[in-house]
Amino acid sequence: MEKVFNKLVRDNIPSIIENNGEKSFIRVLGESEYKIELEKKLNEEYNEVLSSSGKDRIEELADMVEIIKCLAEIEGFSLDEVIEVSKEKSLKRGSFSKRIFLEKTTD
């Protein structure tokens, strides 16, 4: 039975598929298509985070981190650099840990 996926998958998925006795048909994406597919995958994982909890949620969050790492690499940065910028922004503008919800401002 044929199953069509047409989506970016982790590097070891074709081997896993073949170890399960199936044949996979793949192609390697060019840089611009790769970026588009990573962005689609980020959205897919975001939705999976929203619909998961507990151990499943941490797995989906880990998938998002991997995609963020790859998107950063396309732009010439490392995940460590993304985390450093995150720390700098947290020091300058704060985090989200205080749960502050801005309702409105007036002048």
Side-chain angles (χ1 to χ4, degrees):
M1 174 167 68
E2 182 177 82
K3 295 179 238 171
V4 178
F5 293 94
N6 287 328
K7 68 179 190 174
L8 184 67
V9 295
R10 287 180 175 264
D11 298 341
N12 294 338
I13 296 300
S15 296
I16 293 168
I17 289 169
E18 292 187 14
N19 287 340
N20 286 333
E22 296 178 73
K23 183 159 177 56
S24 62
F25 297 84
I26 64 167
R27 66 185 170 94
V28 176
L29 302 175
E31 189 169 328
S32 61
E33 192 176 13
Y34 175 52
K35 183 177 180 180
I36 290 167
E37 292 302 319
L38 278 171
E39 290 165 349
K40 286 182 188 175
K41 194 72 171 174
L42 185 62
N43 190 54
E44 175 188 327
E45 295 302 335
Y46 162 76
N47 287 317
E48 290 177 6
V49 165
L50 293 181
S51 65
S52 63
S53 62
K55 186 172 173 19
D56 289 337
R57 178 164 268 195
I58 196 76
E59 292 284 331
E60 300 304 338
L61 288 168
D63 288 342
M64 287 188 74
V65 169
E66 185 64 27
I67 294 162
I68 290 167
K69 180 181 89 169
C70 292
L71 284 167
E73 289 171 355
I74 287 174
E75 303 299 330
F77 300 102
S78 69
L79 182 58
D80 288 338
E81 288 171 299
V82 172
I83 291 169
E84 185 59 34
V85 170
S86 172
K87 288 177 184 177
E88 290 169 8
K89 286 185 83 168
S90 184
L91 288 173
K92 182 177 178 182
R93 299 178 62 97
S95 180
F96 298 97
S97 60
K98 292 183 180 178
R99 305 176 187 183
I100 297 170
F101 184 81
L102 180 62
E103 293 180 343
K104 64 181 176 179
T105 64
T106 60
D107 55 1

